[in-house]
Amino acid sequence: VDITVVAPIETTNTPSVQDICVGGESEELIVTNTTGAGNVTYEWFSNTANTNTGGTPISGANSDTYTPPGPFDTVGIFYYYVVISDDAAGCFDIPSGVYTINVVADPTVTIDPTGPLEYCQDAIADPLTAIPNGGVGDVYTYEWYRVGSPDVLVGTDQTYTPLTGDVGVFSYYVVITQTASGCSNVSIPVEVTITLGPSITTQPVGDAVCIDGVTPPLTVAYQDGTGTPTYEWFLIPDTEPVGFDPTYQPPTDQAGVFSYYVVISFPGNGGCSDITSEIVDITVVAPIETTNTPSVQ
């Protein structure tokens, strides 16, 4: 008769360490074994410590693979191991190494600038930049969406520059993802308002007046655009402004024809173009004087 003596069971796998995010799923845990004799059986255990003893048997987990049930909905570290047995004489139960699943919080993402933002039609908008943090590692993918019915994918880079060709109010958000299971998040939307470019609705009106007379102030008004406007009144041919308000009171202490116009500017990030009023004349004349010599008859 033959008596076969074999080496005891040895596990050949390298216990895995998985990093996933809350809401993620574990990969399949796999063990392989060599040698041993007789019928081989498996029993998987979960544990609260990084050790392959003292764990809790998992009901129904009796094969060479085991997939922990997911998704994992809490942050923490979860440990598993498997005990391999055979029924040959003199063979002992052999535990595998420890399988570790690290569950971390989802990554976060914000958008810079946070908004709300406002631009004139056809202006060059500021780029929106996704600022990610956390999760597993530092590699992220990006998907920018414009809110709608349905939402529209508009970009896949870390930055996105909103279009300004259409007038309206638009909202944008970014979705970040990582390769680790469950690692994704969505930013708070940024509101972007696109307005019509500014236009003048009330032009200044010219006048004629005697020296030191009082003429109505030159007045200008506009509509649309964005931001706080600035005003610069000019006297042709001067290049330095003579007034800085929506109205300008021209002086009348000298005779002549004086031509004025105003430039309205919109500083800031709105991208609105300057608008210029019509040129108007203020005519200042000397008072009437008689040139005859009174006669005595």
Side-chain angles (χ1 to χ4, degrees):
V1 296
D2 293 331
I3 302 297
T4 301
V5 180
V6 299
I9 293 173
E10 294 181 0
T11 59
T12 60
N13 68 299
T14 300
S16 63
V17 177
Q18 297 181 47
D19 295 314
I20 64 175
C21 289
V22 171
E25 303 276 354
S26 168
E27 296 177 359
E28 184 178 56
L29 309 182
I30 301 173
V31 68
T32 56
N33 62 277
T34 59
T35 64
N39 296 317
V40 177
T41 59
Y42 304 86
E43 178 70 32
W44 287 86
F45 294 79
S46 63
N47 211 346
T48 57
N50 186 10
T51 179
N52 59 0
T53 60
T56 301
I58 301 172
S59 176
N62 304 111
S63 70
D64 58 354
T65 64
Y66 173 67
T67 302
F72 286 80
D73 57 4
T74 58
V75 172
I77 304 177
F78 301 85
Y79 303 102
Y80 300 90
Y81 65 93
V82 60
V83 173
I84 304 173
S85 305
D86 65 34
D87 59 1
C91 293
F92 300 96
D93 294 348
I94 300 298
S96 71
V98 178
Y99 300 77
T100 304
I101 300 176
N102 295 314
V103 183
V104 302
D106 288 328
T108 60
V109 59
T110 58
I111 296 176
D112 181 41
T114 58
L117 306 173
E118 191 170 2
Y119 301 97
C120 277
Q121 188 177 25
D122 296 324
I124 298 176
D126 297 309
L128 304 177
T129 301
I131 309 297
N133 184 57
V136 176
D138 56 3
V139 177
Y140 306 86
T141 60
Y142 305 89
E143 290 183 326
W144 290 89
Y145 290 88
R146 184 179 66 241
V147 176
S149 298
D151 295 352
V152 179
L153 176 67
V154 294
T156 56
D157 295 323
Q158 187 173 359
T159 63
Y160 171 71
T161 301
L163 302 178
T164 60
D166 295 328
V167 173
V169 180
F170 307 93
S171 292
Y172 299 91
Y173 65 90
V174 63
V175 178
I176 62 169
T177 57
Q178 296 178 296
T179 56
S181 179
C183 295
S184 65
N185 215 330
V186 182
S187 72
I188 296 174
V190 170
E191 184 179 278
V192 179
T193 300
I194 310 300
T195 66
L196 289 170
S199 60
I200 292 177
T201 56
T202 300
Q203 295 283 357
V205 177
D207 195 17
V209 65
C210 288
I211 286 180
D212 294 328
V214 178
T215 182
L218 301 177
T219 301
V220 68
Y222 76 96
Q223 65 181 5
D224 301 320
T226 180
T228 302
T230 62
Y231 300 84
E232 291 183 320
W233 291 89
F234 291 90
L235 170 64
I236 296 175
D238 294 346
T239 58
E240 293 297 324
V242 295
F244 302 94
D245 295 309
T247 62
Y248 173 68
Q249 184 68 59
T252 60
D253 57 346
Q254 297 182 35
V257 178
F258 303 92
S259 299
Y260 296 92
Y261 68 94
V262 63
V263 176
I264 306 176
S265 302
F266 298 84
N269 298 325
C272 299
S273 300
D274 296 351
I275 52 176
T276 303
S277 74
E278 297 174 353
I279 297 173
V280 295
D281 293 334
I282 299 296
T283 302
V284 182
V285 298
I288 296 174
E289 295 181 359
T290 59
T291 58
N292 66 303
T293 301
S295 63
V296 178
Q297 300 183 15

